[in-house]
Amino acid sequence: MSNQQVLMTAVGSYLPAKVVSNDDLSTFVDTDDTWIRRRTGISQRHIVAEGETTADLAKHAALEALANAKLTGDDIDIIIVATTTPDNTFPSTASKLQHQLGAKTAIAFDVQAVCAGFIYALDIADAMLQSGRGCRALVVGAESFSKLLDWKDRSTCVLFGDGAGAVILETSQDSADWGIRSSVLHSDGAYRDILYVDGGPSINGKVGHVRMEGKEVFRHAVEKLAEVMDEALVAAKMSFEDIDWFVPHQANIRIIDAMQKKMGLASDRVVRTVDKHANTSAASIPLALATAINDGRIQNGNVVAMEAIGGGLVWGAALVKFGRPALT
Ligand code: UT7
């Protein structure tokens, strides 16, 4: 194990311009604003325009993160895009992004861990940087999740939205206790049938639609996210008191609030974007991170706790001391 730290030095985000309210949805599916707000906390979601793709969203978020880090594509060694809604089955959305950013010397690939994709990609990038595969990584969570929705199924179509968030990771030799302090991942394919898409290249050659047993997923989410956060704290030799900000996956306000209570955190230490963004799958954590960094809540040196669960089931948590130490 090296003494090298992997710092998270900058973030970027992007939301498509089109906003769809709960009332808009109730014009074509049997739902209403009161139900959606009460059961999920969602009031609106952003949806891609005709012709706008996941790679387009990823590019906007990545360019903002690069600008905030004062870097260009040339400076990046590793590009990982976490997505379940790639532009094409292949090549990867990351390959497209690499070209768009002019990151000629970077390696680029996608990670598919649905709503836990950002945590998975962060863990992989951290391990690669720790093992000397490069000095800088761009990790993006980007989704056009609306493309996977059955707009006649009220139990799923009201829950999701589109967007992208990106972070820059940089190695540092002299930043003890900064950067990624721990990350923990889990999978259990025994539960693959409670949240899945009913299509795919080798199943039926179709893209398919999201199918979910919401109550079951909810039950697993509350249980597994609490456990994995405990594991991440133990791995980082930290306790709940060390957490400045909790930036959870934004699937349902009731899951977020349950976690906040379990963790004993003050409510105003929790970043909640589910009301405006809905569930943007792999994009939800970096979008929420960027929101709270841009509005000044998360500051350089703050410890941020992140966690997510998604179809698979796959889940994970990460603890990051954001930013970099001031030069002395
Ligand atoms: O990102 C991956 C992780 N995903 C999650 O964490 C999602 C976890 N699950 C959830 O967030 C919740 O289970 C949901 C929001 C999906 C559903 O909430 P719920 O309280 O578990 O509701 P339910 O599915 O048990 O449905 C309760 C009632 C049903 O009616 P009846 O059978 O009681 O008459 C549904 O048909 O609500 C009805 N319902 C709706 N009503 C109006 C379901 N969807 C809607 C809707 N509008 N959109």
Side-chain angles (χ1 to χ4, degrees):
M1 210 44 198
S2 72
N3 286 326
Q4 185 165 262
Q5 304 298 309
V6 173
L7 306 182
M8 185 184 286
T9 55
V11 298
S13 63
Y14 182 76
L15 288 160
K18 185 177 172 190
V19 174
V20 176
S21 70
N22 294 342
D23 286 337
D24 292 335
L25 293 182
S26 66
T27 62
F28 61 87
V29 65
D30 181 17
T31 190
D32 59 85
D33 180 59
T34 308
W35 190 95
I36 301 173
R37 279 181 199 262
R38 195 162 43 82
R39 304 310 295 164
T40 72
I42 297 165
S43 59
Q44 61 168 54
R45 71 286 293 143
H46 291 250
I47 301 289
V48 284
E50 189 71 34
E52 192 174 30
T53 71
T54 297
D56 296 328
L57 308 183
K59 184 181 81 174
H60 287 296
L63 284 173
E64 190 176 282
L66 286 168
N68 286 338
K70 300 187 173 48
L71 299 172
T72 66
D74 281 336
D75 300 310
I76 300 298
D77 305 306
I78 301 165
I79 298 174
I80 308 179
V81 176
T83 188
T84 302
T85 46
D87 287 18
N88 301 92
T89 303
F90 81 86
S92 69
T93 303
S95 299
K96 226 170 168 179
L97 183 62
Q98 178 205 12
H99 179 66
Q100 287 169 325
L101 298 178
K104 288 201 169 54
T105 56
I107 61 162
F109 60 96
D110 288 358
V111 163
Q112 207 283 76
V114 207
C115 299
F118 179 74
I119 302 287
Y120 266 66
L122 198 66
D123 182 279
I124 294 163
D126 181 33
M128 292 184 77
L129 291 173
Q130 290 285 4
S131 72
R133 285 300 188 89
C135 297
R136 295 193 186 95
L138 168 68
V139 175
V140 184
E143 301 279 16
S144 306
F145 219 81
S146 59
K147 304 282 185 184
L148 294 179
L149 299 176
D150 174 353
W151 292 101
K152 294 189 198 75
D153 177 8
R154 69 176 182 174
S155 71
T156 53
C157 77
V158 304
L159 304 174
F160 296 92
D162 302 334
V167 301
I168 304 288
L169 304 178
E170 302 186 59
T171 56
S172 171
Q173 299 293 343
D174 52 5
S175 307
D177 296 341
W178 285 71
I180 300 176
R181 299 288 303 272
S182 71
S183 60
V184 178
L185 305 179
H186 287 290
S187 305
D188 190 344
Y191 298 110
R192 66 196 178 282
D193 291 343
I194 63 171
L195 176 52
Y196 68 103
V197 163
D198 61 2
S202 79
I203 293 272
N204 56 9
K206 294 186 177 143
V207 173
H209 293 125
V210 175
R211 305 296 174 205
M212 177 166 72
E213 290 176 34
K215 266 207 182 345
E216 270 298 283
V217 176
F218 192 103
R219 192 174 63 75
H220 284 287
V222 174
E223 176 193 297
K224 291 181 167 47
L225 292 174
E227 283 170 11
V228 77
M229 184 54 73
D230 284 343
E231 288 178 70
L233 284 166
V234 169
K237 299 190 176 55
M238 295 171 98
S239 64
F240 288 123
E241 292 78 53
D242 297 313
I243 297 171
D244 294 307
W245 292 101
F246 178 44
V247 184
H249 173 49
Q250 307 285 323
N252 188 317
I253 199 72
R254 291 184 289 136
I255 297 174
I256 296 172
D257 291 348
M259 276 299 295
Q260 174 233 322
K261 289 196 180 85
K262 275 201 167 141
M263 292 166 73
L265 291 178
S267 184
D268 63 2
R269 295 277 115 188
V270 181
V271 178
R272 297 175 177 87
T273 52
V274 65
D275 58 331
K276 296 281 189 292
H277 301 169
N279 181 349
T280 57
S281 185
S284 95
I285 289 177
L287 265 170
L289 253 185
T291 301
I293 289 167
N294 291 339
D295 68 20
R297 275 180 289 172
I298 298 179
Q299 303 269 331
N300 196 55
N302 280 171
V303 171
V304 179
M306 297 169 269
E307 37 95 291
I309 186 165
L313 292 172
V314 287
W315 66 102
L319 286 158
V320 175
K321 183 166 179 170
F322 176 73
R324 60 165 85 244
L327 291 173
T328 46

